[in-house]
Amino acid sequence: MTQSVVVQVGQCGNQVGCRFWDLALREHAHVNKKGLYDEALSSFFRNVDSRKSAGGACGVGGRIQHLKARAVLVDMEEGVVKEILQGPLREVFDSAQLLTDVSGSGNNWAVGHMTYGSAYREQIVDKLRKAAEHCDCLQCFFLIHSMGGGTGSGLGTSVLSLLEEEFPDVCRIVTSIYPSAEDDVITSPYNSILAMRELTEHADCVLPVENQSLVDIVNKIKIMSHSAKPGSVIKRDSTVISGQGGLSGPEKPFDAMNNIVANLLLNITSSARFEGSLNMDLNEIAMNLVPFPRLHYLVPSLTPLYTLADVSVPTRRLDQMFSDAFSKDHQLIRADPKHSLYLACALMVRGNVQVSDLRRNIERLRPSLPFVSWNQEGWKTSLCSVPPVGHSHSLLALANNTCVKPTFMELRERFTKLYRKKAHLHHYLHVEGMEQSFFSEAIDSLSSLIEEYHQLDATKARLIPDAPRLSIAT
Amino acid sequence: MSVVTVQLGQCGNQVAHELLDVVWSDAQKKPSRAASCERFFHHNTHGELVARAVLIDMEPKVINQSLSRAAKCGRWRYGEDSHFSQKQGSGNNWANGYCVHGPRHRDVVEELVRREVERCDRLAGLLAMMSVAGGTGSGVGAYVTQCLRDIYPTSFILNHLTWPYRTGEVIVQNYNSVLTLAHLYQLSDAILVHENDTAHRICSQLLNIKHISFSDVNKVIAHQLGSVLQPALTADSHGVYSRNPLGIDWQVRPPAGSGRSTSLTGSSFNTSLANLLILRGKDVYSAETGGFEDPALYTSWLSSKEAFSLWKSPVSFNKYEKSATLVSNSQALLSPLDDMVGKAWNMFASRAYIHQYMKYGISEEDFLDSFTSLEQVISSYRQLC
């Protein structure tokens, strides 16, 4: 069994991370009735007995003593991390796992990346090494951060490079929260584009999440719970929108949205943690979904978002779950995959779902989904028998689709609007180590990425003949 | 004569488990019980029935499940130390399995197999069970088959392969399949193939199962495989159970198809190189099998006498009063094979995913070699008439 380490950077990264740890604990508590520290738990948690010597690490199989998250928390302001340490999750983190400063990054990528990146490099490497050493077999780093600010965006991507340098064999899966157009941070386009270049070059996979999509989803759930049909009840404590049943108290403003992202991470790792008839490890995600090294942006789509009280779901409802996964309402970024081109698609199913259900739905949905010519049947599937808390089954779809192109183009436009006027540029150029070339190189990197997607899109209209086969002399 | 089963990867381990279950339950209350038990099992010092099997996987979940399920069933079990697993799988990457995991764990695996082989009075051969779509079964499986061929050059090696659903389980399944088949070609004595699609259809159309699980599919595969490997009388064994189930006299190397029947539609049959018909149960001795010797079924350069073999056993198989199994070396697999190679080639033409394989040491040349090798097989089969 492998372990993963979560690295949460910046305010957003830490808040999402916090929801993740809360839900993870609840999920394991739900499944692990005997209180034993099993393989599934060890993928994200250490078991520490403070009475034992040498740090007190306990191996798999014994009783749970003290669970410590395999995480590194980084923030250049103290507020968020302090709150975590005062909240119900305080026992889960060791002070050695935290790195904070006081002044913040001022929403400036350069400050996060250059200034703090170099100042704290040693300490960050140290904490990462310690976390890695606690792992028997470290398979993956999950980096959680936002793109629009300064710390998550700048320092976060600095950490990403560090991870590549120090742990080249460990997979890097990055969850990036992209700002909406109406973001109140004026310089968020600059920060995002500067960060994007780092993601394109140093991440194995990126799961882009747009704030606007999360807002839309949360609103939809609220509408559904208010206009619930008679006889149907939204399970209030479903992991989707509330932390009820978890350790946290009353909800804070972004909690509902952060919960959705936390669920994404839980579902991605479920097949690696729990058993099933068709397992999918984390290293299989990159292998199957990334046909070309730079095109590693995967559109996540989660269902169900709510659950009805009727738990024994007849087949039609199950099929509905598959249809939903391909509807725009369930995507975590606003994009239109059905009118773009699929390069590859993964379906990660949890719960009481059999291979025949999977096949039936793939056959049903396949005709309406445009796949690239050389990957007409490009599906990666996994079946995990353990469903998430409060649901009988769930589905996470990860699509490598050219529909991210418009999203990136829009980001580029926002960037260009500011850059043309050189607005706020001096804040960045004043930072030691920062030069104008960073901007031009970053925008070039994005443009060439967009161009790569564009090339693939162009093949959609044309009828691509099969490549001529090797001919054998007879 | 005994068979040592080498179970590789998730599929190999899951299917092999079902096979051992089928063999065990079929053997109960039968006069041939000792023969078939001895073939796949041995008794340990506690009198328990222990499988002659080696379980290999690069991650532990499946093996752990298998071991505990066998131990709990109380009928047979796996050996205490007959398994080897690592912590991190092969990531669906053939190159990772073949170039990294295989060599790294070569010694351990060889030792495990050696122990089982030495435990056999007479070794009929080695049965390697794996899938071709993933990373471990396919990549490590190909590497292990190579090692076994080196260590046991005169032993019979039968590879049982499970081919994936055509519409995706693993996106790079066609690459993994092509690489595996091309390598096994040079090493294996016979390749017995089951396709998930076919087994699935049997579940839905013949068995009427509504919600088909992988367990159902695996049971179908195990049933068919078991019906081939259980003891039977060959034409020349004169009333003594043929002790060597793997002594099929294949005239050429290529992949053998297995199935209840070939696709006999209209007047055009798939041309066969060799057919083996196994009849079990009631009335075997009075069965009329002349139709299988029709020269029209066979290639012109073989007589039907040479190409057709018939095995019989009056002992019924697995509660079926009468059953017939046909193992066929024919053009039946030509279409799926061609499909698989075609898709892999299309993907290769755009170089998609190649960087993932090159990371571990496979070059474009290696890919081209594999494609060439399989195109030759396809061409040879296509020309049969």
Side-chain angles (χ1 to χ4, degrees), chain A residues 322-359:
Chain A
F322 282 88
S323 301
D324 285 343
F326 288 93
S327 102
K328 285 196 262 177
D329 293 343
H330 289 255
Q331 282 163 211
L332 300 190
I333 73 166
R334 285 176 309 161
D336 194 1
K338 283 192 180 165
H339 294 106
S340 308
L341 197 60
Y342 278 89
L343 301 179
C345 186
L347 295 175
M348 307 181 66
V349 187
R350 298 182 66 174
N352 186 19
V353 181
Q354 301 304 345
V355 65
S356 55
D357 300 313
L358 202 47
R359 308 239 59 79

Short mmCIF file of all heavy atoms in Angstrom, two decimals, chain A residues 322-359:
data_model
loop_
_atom_site.label_atom_id
_atom_site.label_comp_id
_atom_site.label_asym_id
_atom_site.label_seq_id
_atom_site.Cartn_x
_atom_site.Cartn_y
_atom_site.Cartn_z
N PHE A 322 -24.22 8.37 -14.32
CA PHE A 322 -23.27 8.46 -15.42
C PHE A 322 -23.60 9.64 -16.34
O PHE A 322 -22.71 10.37 -16.76
CB PHE A 322 -23.25 7.16 -16.22
CG PHE A 322 -22.48 6.06 -15.55
CD1 PHE A 322 -23.08 5.21 -14.63
CD2 PHE A 322 -21.14 5.89 -15.82
CE1 PHE A 322 -22.36 4.22 -14.00
CE2 PHE A 322 -20.40 4.88 -15.19
CZ PHE A 322 -21.02 4.05 -14.28
N SER A 323 -24.88 9.82 -16.63
CA SER A 323 -25.24 10.95 -17.50
C SER A 323 -24.86 12.26 -16.85
O SER A 323 -24.35 13.16 -17.50
CB SER A 323 -26.75 10.95 -17.75
OG SER A 323 -27.14 9.77 -18.36
N ASP A 324 -25.10 12.35 -15.55
CA ASP A 324 -24.77 13.58 -14.84
C ASP A 324 -23.29 13.91 -14.92
O ASP A 324 -22.92 15.08 -15.04
CB ASP A 324 -25.15 13.46 -13.35
CG ASP A 324 -26.64 13.55 -13.14
OD1 ASP A 324 -27.34 14.03 -14.05
OD2 ASP A 324 -27.10 13.15 -12.05
N ALA A 325 -22.46 12.87 -14.84
CA ALA A 325 -21.02 13.13 -14.85
C ALA A 325 -20.61 13.83 -16.14
O ALA A 325 -19.59 14.51 -16.18
CB ALA A 325 -20.25 11.83 -14.69
N PHE A 326 -21.40 13.66 -17.21
CA PHE A 326 -21.05 14.30 -18.45
C PHE A 326 -21.88 15.54 -18.72
O PHE A 326 -21.89 16.06 -19.83
CB PHE A 326 -21.17 13.29 -19.61
CG PHE A 326 -20.06 12.28 -19.55
CD1 PHE A 326 -20.24 11.07 -18.89
CD2 PHE A 326 -18.82 12.55 -20.10
CE1 PHE A 326 -19.21 10.15 -18.79
CE2 PHE A 326 -17.78 11.64 -20.01
CZ PHE A 326 -17.98 10.44 -19.37
N SER A 327 -22.57 16.00 -17.70
CA SER A 327 -23.33 17.23 -17.90
C SER A 327 -22.51 18.38 -17.32
O SER A 327 -21.78 18.24 -16.36
CB SER A 327 -24.69 17.14 -17.19
OG SER A 327 -24.64 17.84 -15.98
N LYS A 328 -22.69 19.53 -17.91
CA LYS A 328 -21.88 20.68 -17.51
C LYS A 328 -22.11 21.08 -16.06
O LYS A 328 -21.27 21.70 -15.44
CB LYS A 328 -22.19 21.86 -18.43
CG LYS A 328 -21.57 21.70 -19.79
CD LYS A 328 -21.55 23.01 -20.52
CE LYS A 328 -22.72 23.08 -21.47
NZ LYS A 328 -22.76 24.38 -22.15
N ASP A 329 -23.28 20.73 -15.54
CA ASP A 329 -23.61 21.15 -14.18
C ASP A 329 -22.71 20.54 -13.13
O ASP A 329 -22.65 21.03 -12.02
CB ASP A 329 -25.05 20.72 -13.84
CG ASP A 329 -26.06 21.48 -14.66
OD1 ASP A 329 -25.68 22.52 -15.22
OD2 ASP A 329 -27.21 21.03 -14.72
N HIS A 330 -22.08 19.44 -13.46
CA HIS A 330 -21.32 18.74 -12.44
C HIS A 330 -19.82 18.95 -12.57
O HIS A 330 -19.05 18.41 -11.80
CB HIS A 330 -21.64 17.24 -12.48
CG HIS A 330 -23.01 16.93 -12.00
ND1 HIS A 330 -23.26 16.37 -10.76
CD2 HIS A 330 -24.21 17.12 -12.56
CE1 HIS A 330 -24.56 16.23 -10.61
NE2 HIS A 330 -25.16 16.68 -11.68
N GLN A 331 -19.44 19.71 -13.58
CA GLN A 331 -18.02 19.92 -13.77
C GLN A 331 -17.48 20.96 -12.81
O GLN A 331 -18.19 21.87 -12.40
CB GLN A 331 -17.75 20.44 -15.18
CG GLN A 331 -17.81 19.36 -16.21
CD GLN A 331 -17.97 19.96 -17.58
OE1 GLN A 331 -18.56 19.38 -18.45
NE2 GLN A 331 -17.43 21.16 -17.75
N LEU A 332 -16.22 20.82 -12.49
CA LEU A 332 -15.62 21.78 -11.58
C LEU A 332 -14.92 22.92 -12.32
O LEU A 332 -14.33 23.79 -11.69
CB LEU A 332 -14.66 21.06 -10.62
CG LEU A 332 -15.32 19.98 -9.75
CD1 LEU A 332 -14.37 19.50 -8.67
CD2 LEU A 332 -16.59 20.50 -9.11
N ILE A 333 -14.92 22.88 -13.63
CA ILE A 333 -14.57 24.11 -14.35
C ILE A 333 -15.65 24.32 -15.41
O ILE A 333 -16.29 23.38 -15.85
CB ILE A 333 -13.17 24.11 -15.01
CG1 ILE A 333 -13.13 23.21 -16.24
CG2 ILE A 333 -12.11 23.72 -14.04
CD1 ILE A 333 -11.87 23.47 -17.06
N ARG A 334 -15.84 25.58 -15.79
CA ARG A 334 -16.88 25.85 -16.79
C ARG A 334 -16.29 25.61 -18.16
O ARG A 334 -15.39 26.32 -18.59
CB ARG A 334 -17.38 27.29 -16.66
CG ARG A 334 -18.29 27.47 -15.46
CD ARG A 334 -18.69 28.89 -15.27
NE ARG A 334 -17.54 29.77 -15.27
CZ ARG A 334 -17.62 31.07 -15.48
NH1 ARG A 334 -18.79 31.62 -15.69
NH2 ARG A 334 -16.54 31.82 -15.45
N ALA A 335 -16.77 24.59 -18.80
CA ALA A 335 -16.22 24.25 -20.11
C ALA A 335 -17.24 23.37 -20.81
O ALA A 335 -18.20 22.92 -20.19
CB ALA A 335 -14.89 23.52 -19.96
N ASP A 336 -17.02 23.12 -22.07
CA ASP A 336 -17.99 22.36 -22.84
C ASP A 336 -17.32 21.16 -23.51
O ASP A 336 -17.01 21.20 -24.70
CB ASP A 336 -18.60 23.27 -23.91
CG ASP A 336 -19.83 22.64 -24.51
OD1 ASP A 336 -20.20 21.52 -24.09
OD2 ASP A 336 -20.42 23.27 -25.40
N PRO A 337 -17.10 20.11 -22.75
CA PRO A 337 -16.35 18.98 -23.30
C PRO A 337 -17.06 18.29 -24.46
O PRO A 337 -16.41 17.76 -25.35
CB PRO A 337 -16.20 18.02 -22.11
CG PRO A 337 -17.16 18.46 -21.10
CD PRO A 337 -17.45 19.90 -21.34
N LYS A 338 -18.39 18.29 -24.44
CA LYS A 338 -19.10 17.55 -25.50
C LYS A 338 -18.92 18.21 -26.86
O LYS A 338 -19.14 17.58 -27.88
CB LYS A 338 -20.59 17.46 -25.18
CG LYS A 338 -20.89 16.43 -24.13
CD LYS A 338 -22.39 16.17 -24.04
CE LYS A 338 -22.64 15.12 -22.97
NZ LYS A 338 -24.04 15.05 -22.57
N HIS A 339 -18.56 19.48 -26.88
CA HIS A 339 -18.34 20.13 -28.16
C HIS A 339 -16.89 20.39 -28.44
O HIS A 339 -16.53 21.12 -29.35
CB HIS A 339 -19.15 21.44 -28.23
CG HIS A 339 -20.62 21.18 -28.22
ND1 HIS A 339 -21.41 21.44 -27.12
CD2 HIS A 339 -21.43 20.65 -29.15
CE1 HIS A 339 -22.66 21.07 -27.39
NE2 HIS A 339 -22.70 20.59 -28.62
N SER A 340 -16.06 19.77 -27.62
CA SER A 340 -14.62 19.83 -27.88
C SER A 340 -14.16 18.42 -28.17
O SER A 340 -14.94 17.60 -28.60
CB SER A 340 -13.90 20.42 -26.69
OG SER A 340 -14.47 21.63 -26.31
N LEU A 341 -12.92 18.13 -27.87
CA LEU A 341 -12.40 16.82 -28.24
C LEU A 341 -11.83 16.13 -27.02
O LEU A 341 -11.02 16.68 -26.29
CB LEU A 341 -11.29 17.01 -29.28
CG LEU A 341 -10.88 15.79 -30.09
CD1 LEU A 341 -12.06 15.26 -30.88
CD2 LEU A 341 -9.74 16.18 -31.03
N TYR A 342 -12.29 14.91 -26.78
CA TYR A 342 -11.73 14.12 -25.69
C TYR A 342 -10.43 13.47 -26.12
O TYR A 342 -10.36 12.83 -27.16
CB TYR A 342 -12.71 13.00 -25.30
CG TYR A 342 -13.83 13.44 -24.39
CD1 TYR A 342 -15.02 13.93 -24.90
CD2 TYR A 342 -13.68 13.35 -23.01
CE1 TYR A 342 -16.03 14.33 -24.05
CE2 TYR A 342 -14.69 13.74 -22.15
CZ TYR A 342 -15.87 14.24 -22.68
OH TYR A 342 -16.88 14.64 -21.84
N LEU A 343 -9.41 13.64 -25.30
CA LEU A 343 -8.18 12.90 -25.56
C LEU A 343 -8.18 11.60 -24.78
O LEU A 343 -7.66 10.59 -25.21
CB LEU A 343 -6.96 13.74 -25.15
CG LEU A 343 -6.81 15.09 -25.85
CD1 LEU A 343 -5.59 15.81 -25.33
CD2 LEU A 343 -6.72 14.91 -27.35
N ALA A 344 -8.78 11.66 -23.60
CA ALA A 344 -8.85 10.47 -22.75
C ALA A 344 -9.83 10.76 -21.64
O ALA A 344 -10.08 11.92 -21.31
CB ALA A 344 -7.48 10.16 -22.14
N CYS A 345 -10.41 9.73 -21.07
CA CYS A 345 -11.38 9.94 -20.00
C CYS A 345 -11.30 8.82 -18.98
O CYS A 345 -11.21 7.65 -19.35
CB CYS A 345 -12.78 10.00 -20.60
SG CYS A 345 -14.02 10.45 -19.39
N ALA A 346 -11.33 9.16 -17.71
CA ALA A 346 -11.30 8.15 -16.66
C ALA A 346 -12.59 8.21 -15.87
O ALA A 346 -13.09 9.28 -15.56
CB ALA A 346 -10.11 8.40 -15.73
N LEU A 347 -13.12 7.03 -15.56
CA LEU A 347 -14.33 6.94 -14.74
C LEU A 347 -13.97 6.19 -13.47
O LEU A 347 -13.61 5.02 -13.52
CB LEU A 347 -15.42 6.17 -15.49
CG LEU A 347 -15.95 6.83 -16.75
CD1 LEU A 347 -16.93 5.89 -17.45
CD2 LEU A 347 -16.63 8.15 -16.43
N MET A 348 -14.05 6.87 -12.33
CA MET A 348 -13.71 6.21 -11.07
C MET A 348 -15.00 6.04 -10.28
O MET A 348 -15.57 7.02 -9.80
CB MET A 348 -12.70 7.06 -10.32
CG MET A 348 -11.51 7.39 -11.21
SD MET A 348 -10.24 8.37 -10.41
CE MET A 348 -9.65 7.25 -9.19
N VAL A 349 -15.43 4.81 -10.19
CA VAL A 349 -16.73 4.51 -9.60
C VAL A 349 -16.55 3.97 -8.19
O VAL A 349 -15.64 3.17 -7.93
CB VAL A 349 -17.48 3.47 -10.44
CG1 VAL A 349 -18.89 3.28 -9.92
CG2 VAL A 349 -17.50 3.88 -11.89
N ARG A 350 -17.39 4.41 -7.28
CA ARG A 350 -17.34 3.87 -5.93
C ARG A 350 -18.70 3.29 -5.58
O ARG A 350 -19.72 3.84 -5.97
CB ARG A 350 -17.00 4.97 -4.92
CG ARG A 350 -15.67 5.62 -5.14
CD ARG A 350 -15.40 6.65 -4.08
NE ARG A 350 -15.27 6.05 -2.76
CZ ARG A 350 -14.92 6.73 -1.67
NH1 ARG A 350 -14.68 8.01 -1.76
NH2 ARG A 350 -14.83 6.12 -0.50
N GLY A 351 -18.69 2.22 -4.81
CA GLY A 351 -19.94 1.69 -4.30
C GLY A 351 -20.37 0.42 -5.01
O GLY A 351 -19.58 -0.25 -5.68
N ASN A 352 -21.62 0.09 -4.85
CA ASN A 352 -22.12 -1.17 -5.36
C ASN A 352 -22.46 -1.08 -6.84
O ASN A 352 -23.63 -1.05 -7.22
CB ASN A 352 -23.35 -1.59 -4.54
CG ASN A 352 -23.81 -2.97 -4.94
OD1 ASN A 352 -23.06 -3.73 -5.53
ND2 ASN A 352 -25.05 -3.27 -4.63
N VAL A 353 -21.44 -0.99 -7.66
CA VAL A 353 -21.64 -0.89 -9.09
C VAL A 353 -20.85 -2.01 -9.74
O VAL A 353 -19.71 -2.28 -9.34
CB VAL A 353 -21.14 0.47 -9.63
CG1 VAL A 353 -21.37 0.57 -11.12
CG2 VAL A 353 -21.82 1.60 -8.90
N GLN A 354 -21.44 -2.70 -10.71
CA GLN A 354 -20.75 -3.82 -11.33
C GLN A 354 -20.23 -3.45 -12.71
O GLN A 354 -20.62 -2.44 -13.28
CB GLN A 354 -21.71 -5.02 -11.44
CG GLN A 354 -22.27 -5.50 -10.13
CD GLN A 354 -21.17 -5.85 -9.14
OE1 GLN A 354 -20.00 -6.01 -9.50
NE2 GLN A 354 -21.54 -5.95 -7.88
N VAL A 355 -19.40 -4.35 -13.23
CA VAL A 355 -18.80 -4.04 -14.52
C VAL A 355 -19.84 -3.94 -15.63
O VAL A 355 -19.68 -3.17 -16.57
CB VAL A 355 -17.67 -5.07 -14.85
CG1 VAL A 355 -18.24 -6.46 -15.03
CG2 VAL A 355 -16.91 -4.66 -16.07
N SER A 356 -20.96 -4.68 -15.50
CA SER A 356 -21.98 -4.59 -16.54
C SER A 356 -22.62 -3.21 -16.55
O SER A 356 -22.96 -2.68 -17.61
CB SER A 356 -23.05 -5.66 -16.35
OG SER A 356 -23.59 -5.57 -15.05
N ASP A 357 -22.80 -2.60 -15.37
CA ASP A 357 -23.36 -1.24 -15.32
C ASP A 357 -22.41 -0.28 -16.02
O ASP A 357 -22.82 0.60 -16.78
CB ASP A 357 -23.51 -0.78 -13.86
CG ASP A 357 -24.44 -1.69 -13.07
OD1 ASP A 357 -25.52 -2.02 -13.59
OD2 ASP A 357 -24.07 -2.08 -11.94
N LEU A 358 -21.13 -0.48 -15.75
CA LEU A 358 -20.10 0.38 -16.34
C LEU A 358 -20.13 0.28 -17.86
O LEU A 358 -20.18 1.28 -18.56
CB LEU A 358 -18.75 -0.10 -15.80
CG LEU A 358 -17.55 0.81 -15.80
CD1 LEU A 358 -17.90 2.15 -15.24
CD2 LEU A 358 -16.47 0.17 -14.92
N ARG A 359 -20.14 -0.95 -18.36
CA ARG A 359 -20.10 -1.17 -19.81
C ARG A 359 -21.33 -0.62 -20.48
O ARG A 359 -21.28 0.01 -21.53
CB ARG A 359 -20.01 -2.68 -20.12
CG ARG A 359 -18.91 -3.38 -19.41
CD ARG A 359 -17.94 -4.03 -20.36
NE ARG A 359 -17.32 -3.09 -21.27
CZ ARG A 359 -16.32 -2.28 -20.95
NH1 ARG A 359 -15.82 -2.30 -19.75
NH2 ARG A 359 -15.83 -1.47 -21.84
#
